[in-house]
Amino acid sequence: MAINGIQFQKGLSVAQFMKEYGTEEQCQAALMRARWPRGFECPRCSHGEAFEFDRRGRHHWQCKACKYQCTLRAGTIMEHSLLPLTKWYLAIYLMTQSKTNIAALAMMRQLGISWKAAWLLKHKLMEVMAQREADRPLEGDVRVDDAYLGGERTGGGPGRGSKNKVAFVAAVEMREGRPQRLRFDPVANFSFAALGPWAKKAIAPGSCVTSDGLLGFEVLERLNYQHRVVQAPRGKAGTEIEPFKWLNVVLGNLKTALSGTHHAFSFAKYARRYLAEVQYRFNRRSDMASMIPRMAHAVTRTRPCPARSILGRSGLET
Ligand SMILES: [Zn+2]
């Protein structure tokens, strides 16, 4: 791949990050700007004035109009977290400024917190990314392919690999020969029944979608998208031909980004979040430094997620 400005942008250095987000006060001020850019706004009645006081180590606001009391974290995905804001910001830094997904174990070491706390924090931030990306369909010239991840674990019992295998649709929006945005959406399979709802969510009406002619993608025509089928000539893999070149590059990057950050066991269960982390970073790669305030803003807009909904039905699996 050619050297380009995106790959060589500076991002935010560790030194600069520590200068801006090194103390609890700085993080509190940054989160305040992220949640209430125009100053306090009552979550209940939108009134702009409040009395402020500290209670049990947390700063509180009491709305002057309706008397509602809240903290900066109340009503957000941070609500139930006991971790200092410096840890939240450092986790956001680690997850947004790297090309690869960070493992919970690495986060545990970097943040100096327990493995369970690191795992939960990472999954809450991945959930923020997943919710942020969910309703942003690709548009225009879109290339799609069916793909699988996981299931590569060897040495297990029969069928274990396939149990952990996750089917997903990889899609890239192209403009002037360059990839703009991408989506990775897990699907149950590649049938009409599964791909119809996927298409409506992932691709804007009127788009022109290119596929390799996999039967399930014919559902695109039924849904009134323009559907272009390009098949590889005999002896060539579909991934080698031009329309799918970038799709192939991003799938390669995805595998690199995920390698070592998860065990095959948990992958199937949490695939939506793992894929969303890569998608979120890619779709904002042109301005890495701004990802920290943008991610903090997204955190304040994501509703509380109790641990059990983050963990999933059968509890924590690694
Ligand atoms: Zn109020």
Side-chain angles (χ1 to χ4, degrees), residues 42 44-47 63 65-68:
C42 175
R44 195 155 75 181
C45 76
S46 301
H47 187 72
C63 174
C66 76
K67 303 210 164 36
Y68 182 72

Side-chain angles (χ1 to χ4, degrees), residues 14 17-18 86-87 90-91 93-95 98 102-114 118 121:
V14 176
F17 172 80
M18 291 312 290
T86 47
K87 308 281 185 196
L90 186 51
Y93 176 78
L94 294 171
M95 285 174 72
S98 147
I102 180 170
L105 198 62
M107 198 178 268
M108 171 192 94
R109 294 189 185 120
Q110 301 266 8
L111 269 57
I113 58 179
S114 73
L121 176 55

